[in-house]
Amino acid sequence: MIDDGDREDLSVRLERALLDADRPAAAAALEQARARDGALVVDRVLVPALERIGTDWERGLLALSQVYMAGRICEDLADALTPGTGRRRAVRAGLAIATLEDHHLLGKRIVSATLRAAGWPLQDLGQGMTARALAARVSEGGIRVLLVSTLMLRAALQVKDLVGLLQAAPAPVRVLVGGAPFRIDRDLWREVGADAMGATAGDALDLVEAWAEELG
Amino acid sequence: MSAALTPAARVAAALGHREGDRVPFFLPANMHGARLLGVPLTAYLGSAELVVQGQLRLRELLGHDAVSGFLCAAAEAEPFGGEVVVHEDGPPNTGEPPLRSAADIERLRPPDPTTSPTLRRSLEATAALRAAVGAEVPVLAGGIGPFSLPAIQVGLDRWFELLHQHRPLAERLLRVNEAFCASWANALLAAGASAVALAEPLASPLLVPADRYRELGLPALRRTVAAVRGPVAVSTASAPCLPIAADLAGAGVACVGVSAADDLSQSKRILRGRAAVMGNLNGLEMRHWTPDDAEQAVRAALAAGGPGGGFVLSEHHGEVPFQVPLEVLQAVAEAVRRWGTYPLRWADAG
Ligand code: B12
C-alpha cells in the first residue's frame, strides 16, 4: 500500500504534468500510482488532481485551455487504466449530458472528460438540441440525472421549458446546469428551475456523487 | 457650467485623458432597436435600414454618445465558409466551425470580408449611420480579434489543442486572422466608422494563460493594430482583463474594455495616460435591475472610473442581452446624466 503522503505527491506530479499538457509525464505519474495501488488511483490521485485544477480555474489561477487539456488527457489515460483500477461507478439512475441549442461544445467536453476520467458512465445526448427533443431523449432513455451545458442566455432560459417538459417524464429527473451565463448571473439556475448549478467540472463530480448516492 | 460638448468632443476628451463636460457613455444594445421599431429581431438584423433607424431611435431615447453598425459576431464566420444561425429571442449564433482539418488551415488565405452578406450589411449600416449623424456623433464598429476568431473558425476545443500542441499551425492561422481583421477594420473605417472595437476574449487569463497570450496573441494584436488606419479599442468581452490590461495598451490601442470582475480604479491606475478604460456594467445582471440598482451600479462605476477623464462608461461584454428591459437602459442613462457631470465632486468627497 502507498500512504497518503505518496498519493498526494503523485497527484501533485500528475497535476503539474496536466497543466503543462505533458501527456507522457502525466501517463508516467498515473502508471506509477496504479502499479503501487491500483484500486485507489482514480479516486485518490486522478480525481483530486482534476478537482484542484477546476477549483484553481474558478479562483482565477488557471486558464480554461489548461482545464480543457487536462480533462482530455485524463479521459484518454483513464480509458487505458480501467482494467484493475477497480471501481467503475454505477448510477442505477442513468446519467447523461447535453448541450442545449448551440454547437459550442467545449463546456460539455470538459465536463464529460472529467466525469469519464473519474469512472462515471455518462451518456452523451448531443448538442444543438431543443428543449423538446432533449426531454424526449431523457424520458426514453430512463435518465434520472441530466447535466445541461449552455453558452448563450437564450439557451440557458430554455432550461425552464426543459424542466417543465420533464415533469411528464416517467420518473423524476434531476437537472444540473452549467456554462457561462450561469457563472456570470449566479441566480439564473434558480430562475430556470434547475436543481443545482455547477461553476466547474469539479462541481459536477461532487454533485453527481452526492445525487447518485441519494438516488441509489 | 461649461457649454455642452458634442458626443464626438466628449469621447475625444475621454480618450485624451481629460475631463470633458461629463463622462461619455454608450450602451451596446444591438438588438433593442427591433423592440423600439416593433419588428421581429431577425427582420431587424436582416436589414441595414432598420438597424440605422433603430440605432437613431435608441440614441434619442438614451442620449448616449455613439451609434453602432455592429450586427453580430457570428457574421465573421461567413467569409470562412461558416453559417449564421438566426433566432427571434437572442443574437445570431454560428453553426459548426467551418475549418475542420490541418489542411484547411494550411491552405487558408485571408478572405475578402465583403464576400459575406452579413458583413456587407454591417458596412451599409455604418455608412448610412455616418450620413445620418454627421461628424458630431461617433459611429462605432465592431470585430473579433485575431486570437479569438479561431473559436468560430475551428472551435474553441480545437483552438486550445493548436495553442498547446501544434504551435506552427496556430501561428499560421493567426497570420491569416491578422490580415483579415485589419482589412475588415479598414473597410469599416472607410465606410465611415470613427473607431473599431475588437472583441478579444481569448486574451483573458480566464481562457488562455497570460504567458501564452503574450507569446502568440499579443504580437498578432500589435501587428493588426498597426495595420488599421484609425483608432482601435480592444475588450476581453466580459472575461477578466486586469492581468493583461497593460499588455493590451502596449499593443497601441486607444481604449481597453474591462469586465465587471475587474477593479475599475485599479484598471484606471494601470492604464493612466496609456489607454482609456471602457466598462464595466454587467449586462446579464441588468435583466433584474431596478432603477435603484441601475443608479447604484452607475454611481460606483463613475466614482471609480470617472475622475481625471480617460473613461467611457459602458456594458462590459459589448452587447446588452435582448432580454434586458428598455426601462433599465433608461435608468442607466438617467443616472449618468445625474451623476456623471464633471467635475465629479461627489465622488472626490468619498
Ligand atoms: C470567448 C467568448 C466568445 C468568443 C468565442 C465563443 C465560442 N465559444 O464560440 C467569441 C468572440 C467568438 C464570442 C462571440 C459571441 N458571444 Co461570447 N463569450 C465568450 C466568453 C468570454 C467565454 C465563453 C466560452 O466559450 N467559454 C468557454 C466555456 C467552456 O466556458 P463555460 O461555458 O463557462 O464552461 C465552464 C464552466 O461554466 C463549466 N460548465 C460548462 N457547462 C457545464 C455544464 C455543467 C452541468 C456543469 C456542472 C458545468 C459546466 O465547465 C466549463 C469549464 O470549467 C463569454 C463570457 C465569459 N466571461 O465567460 C462570452 C459569452 C458566452 N458570449 C456571449 C454572447 C452573447 C456572444 C455573441 C452572441 C455576441 C454577439 N452579439 O454576436 C457571439 C456569438 C458567437 C458564436 N459563438 O456564435 C454571452 C452569452 C450570454 C448572453 N448574453 O446571451 C457571454 C456569456 C458574454 C456575456 N457576458 O453576456 N464569444
Side-chain angles (χ1 to χ4, degrees), chain A residues 32-78:
Chain A
Q32 200 177 330
R34 191 192 62 84
R36 288 163 70 172
D37 193 1
L40 290 174
V41 61
V42 170
D43 277 358
R44 301 278 173 82
V45 177
L46 187 141
V47 169
L50 282 176
E51 281 191 325
R52 283 194 303 272
I53 288 173
T55 311
D56 281 355
W57 176 68
E58 252 268 293
R59 290 164 59 205
L61 302 175
L62 292 176
L64 195 70
S65 66
Q66 295 170 296
V67 180
Y68 170 69
M69 293 308 295
R72 281 304 308 284
I73 293 172
C74 280
E75 191 182 19
D76 294 351
L77 295 178

Side-chain angles (χ1 to χ4, degrees), chain A residues 21 57 62-66 68-69 72 101-104 106 109 152-154 157-158 184-185 188 191, chain B residues 87 89-90 93-96 156-157 160-161 164-165 205-209 282 284-285 287-288 321 323:
Chain A
W57 176 68
L62 292 176
L64 195 70
S65 66
Q66 295 170 296
Y68 170 69
M69 293 308 295
R72 281 304 308 284
E101 286 289 325
D102 70 57
H103 290 278
H104 298 95
L106 190 62
R109 283 194 80 171
M152 294 294 129
L153 175 62
R154 52 177 298 282
L157 291 171
Q158 283 178 29
I184 300 175
D185 180 348
L188 187 56
E191 181 187 333
Chain B
H87 305 283
D89 55 353
N93 209 322
T94 44
E96 307 251 357
L156 211 43
D157 45 359
F160 287 163
E161 285 163 21
H164 283 279
Q165 296 183 323
L206 177 81
L207 294 159
V208 173
N282 184 334
L284 281 172
E285 280 180 7
R287 283 191 314 126
H288 313 288
Q323 288 78 2

Side-chain angles (χ1 to χ4, degrees), chain B residues 82-132:
Chain B
E83 55 165 352
V84 174
V85 184
V86 298
H87 305 283
E88 284 307 349
D89 55 353
N93 209 322
T94 44
E96 307 251 357
L99 307 180
R100 299 189 178 187
S101 65
D104 283 349
I105 297 175
E106 272 151 13
R107 75 172 92 85
L108 189 67
R109 299 276 172 280
D112 174 357
T114 62
T115 52
S116 143
T118 315
L119 293 182
R120 275 205 306 277
R121 199 152 62 240
S122 184
L123 283 178
E124 228 179 283
T126 303
L129 281 167
R130 171 56 74 209

Side-chain angles (χ1 to χ4, degrees), chain A residues 57 64 67 104 106-108 110-111 147-154 176-181 183-184 198-201 204, chain B residues 70 72-74 91-94 144 148 151-152 156 199 201-202 206-207 236-239 284 316-317 319 321:
Chain A
W57 176 68
L64 195 70
V67 180
H104 298 95
L106 190 62
K108 175 159 76 80
I110 292 175
V111 175
L147 279 62
V148 180
S149 180
T150 67
L151 190 65
M152 294 294 129
L153 175 62
R154 52 177 298 282
L176 169 60
V177 292
R183 269 196 310 106
I184 300 175
T200 67
Chain B
F70 176 81
C72 64
N93 209 322
T94 44
I144 304 179
S148 303
I152 60 176
L156 211 43
L202 275 281
L206 177 81
L207 294 159
T236 42
S238 85
L284 281 172
H316 69 159
H317 170 232
E319 175 163 281

